[in-house]
């Protein structure tokens, strides 16, 4: 059976990365820490259906080839940037350590890649298959971390049934405003 590796990462909206070849087999491929981003961070994964998804958000500050990704803190610089960039919600390093970094679409779409080697941002079809494999209308709750340590109360319906550990890292709008930490999780495709 062929499996696909998909990486869970946080960006301006959250994102995922997908293994470029389907050569990894067996669920043991999901239970490894060999997935390493351009900054050297390691990521564990969990198998859902025939795919593996990272269980933590991306924290890289470098593209896959080692080139640095521009860090932008100011709202106006973010709004006017014409290059790939990342930030940490409200410029608070604690948010970065919990929720990962936020990335603009230019960095997500950059040919140097922000996902670990051999992976890329997942397609709409990958997300649709994840929905099917996690209960369609119940998928959000089945993927969310249980409790209110990171999600705002009451976090109704959260079961983390698949050990995905979806966290609400918020977003940074195109105008540079931070919104929704504790309440919002969105993903790029």
């Amino acid at each position: 059976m062929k499996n696909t590796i998909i990486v869970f990462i946080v960006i301006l909206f959250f994102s995922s990365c997908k293994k470029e070849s389907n050569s990894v087999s067996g669920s043991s491929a999901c239970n490894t820490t060999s997935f390493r981003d351009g900054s050297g961070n390691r990521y564990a994964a969990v198998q859902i259906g025939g795919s593996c998804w990272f269980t933590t958000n991306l924290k890289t500050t470098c593209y896959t080839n080692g080139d640095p990704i521009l860090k932008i803190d100011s709202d106006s610089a973010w709004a006017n940037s014409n290059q790939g960039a990342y930030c940490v919600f409200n410029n608070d390093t604690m948010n970065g350590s919990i929720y990962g970094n936020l990335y603009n679409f230019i960095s997500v779409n950059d040919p140097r890649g922000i996902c670990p080697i051999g992976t890329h941002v997942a397609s709409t079809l990958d997300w649709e298959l994840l929905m099917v494999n996690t209960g369609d209308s119940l998928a959000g709750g089945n993927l969310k971390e249980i409790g209110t340590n990171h999600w705002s109360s009451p976090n109704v319906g959260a079961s983390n049934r698949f050990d995905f550990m979806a966290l609400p890292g918020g977003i940074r709008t195109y105008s540079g405003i931070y919104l929704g930490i504790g309440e919002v999780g969105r993903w790029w495709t």
Side-chain angles (χ1 to χ4, degrees):
M1 177 180 199
K2 292 184 177 184
N3 288 321
T4 304
I5 301 299
I6 303 175
V7 182
F8 174 92
I9 62 177
V10 175
I11 53 179
L12 172 61
F13 294 89
F14 293 100
S15 183
S16 77
C17 302
K18 180 181 179 209
K19 186 156 179 63
E20 291 174 349
S21 74
N22 293 328
S23 60
V24 175
S25 62
S27 62
S28 64
C30 293
N31 300 324
T32 181
T33 55
S34 64
F35 302 103
R36 195 182 291 249
D37 67 28
S39 298
N41 299 301
R42 291 177 177 249
Y43 301 90
V46 63
Q47 184 164 348
I48 302 173
S51 300
C52 295
W53 292 82
F54 280 20
T55 59
T56 56
N57 301 325
L58 193 70
K59 297 178 182 184
T60 192
T61 58
C62 297
Y63 292 102
T64 303
N65 70 354
D67 290 347
I69 303 171
L70 177 65
K71 184 174 191 245
I72 297 181
D73 292 329
S74 93
D75 295 348
S76 62
W78 184 269
N80 295 307
S81 180
N82 61 358
Q83 59 186 315
Y86 82 96
C87 62
V88 175
F89 193 95
N90 267 351
N91 304 315
D92 182 337
T93 56
M94 182 62 77
N95 287 332
S97 65
I98 295 169
Y99 300 104
N101 294 335
L102 301 171
Y103 301 89
N104 66 12
F105 183 71
I106 299 168
S107 65
V108 172
N109 201 37
D110 192 289
R112 293 172 287 182
I114 62 171
C115 300
I117 293 173
T119 65
H120 62 270
V121 176
S123 69
T124 301
L125 178 60
D126 295 317
W127 286 107
E128 290 170 356
L129 290 172
L130 179 66
M131 292 282 297
V132 168
N133 287 316
T134 56
D136 283 322
S137 65
L138 300 175
N142 286 337
L143 297 173
K144 285 171 60 177
E145 176 192 51
I146 298 170
T148 56
N149 286 337
H150 301 108
W151 286 94
S152 297
S153 183
N155 198 16
V156 174
S159 69
N160 197 32
R161 181 173 157 209
F162 297 92
D163 297 322
F164 190 81
M165 294 297 294
L167 294 178
I171 64 169
R172 190 168 197 186
T173 66
Y174 293 106
S175 63
I177 306 300
Y178 294 102
L179 298 170
I181 199 163
E183 299 171 355
V184 175
R186 295 186 183 161
W187 287 264
W188 284 116
T189 184

